[in-house]
Amino acid sequence: MSREETVCKYCGVSYLILHEFKAMEEKVKALEKQITFYEGSIEREKRLQEELQSLYLDLEHCRADRESKTERSEHVI
């Protein structure tokens, strides 16, 4: 192929390079979306860990409460 067949007549950029550049642009856009998702996931994970810790404490309180009620009911019987 001649140079005229592989180069843009308007800007002078090789079509192969232009094609690679466009593919890279698409890849960058996809990676930016992933980064945005993962940045949000860090915050979601922190919130879920705090909620899990709170639920675990509630569970421990319920267990202690149940044990004390069981002991009291044994003394009554």
Side-chain angles (χ1 to χ4, degrees):
M1 289 185 150
S2 71
R3 178 169 163 74
E4 291 176 3
E5 293 175 332
T6 61
V7 174
C8 176
K9 292 176 183 171
Y10 178 72
C11 66
V13 174
S14 164
Y15 291 128
L16 178 61
I17 292 173
L18 183 60
H19 174 73
E20 291 295 318
F21 184 75
K22 292 295 181 184
M24 286 174 54
E25 281 182 332
E26 293 301 317
K27 192 172 183 178
V28 166
K29 285 179 186 177
L31 290 171
E32 286 174 339
K33 285 182 182 180
Q34 283 183 339
I35 288 171
T36 302
F37 172 78
Y38 287 123
E39 284 175 344
S41 69
I42 291 170
E43 291 302 316
R44 285 190 300 274
E45 184 178 350
K46 280 183 183 178
R47 268 196 333 266
L48 289 171
Q49 284 178 348
E50 289 171 357
E51 185 177 344
L52 179 61
Q53 184 67 28
S54 173
L55 290 171
Y56 182 75
L57 290 174
D58 288 347
L59 176 63
E60 289 301 314
H61 288 241
C62 288
R63 283 181 179 163
D65 219 17
R66 183 191 66 195
E67 288 177 15
S68 70
K69 286 179 182 178
T70 303
E71 288 175 6
R72 278 188 269 153
S73 67
E74 289 174 356
H75 290 286
V76 171
I77 296 175

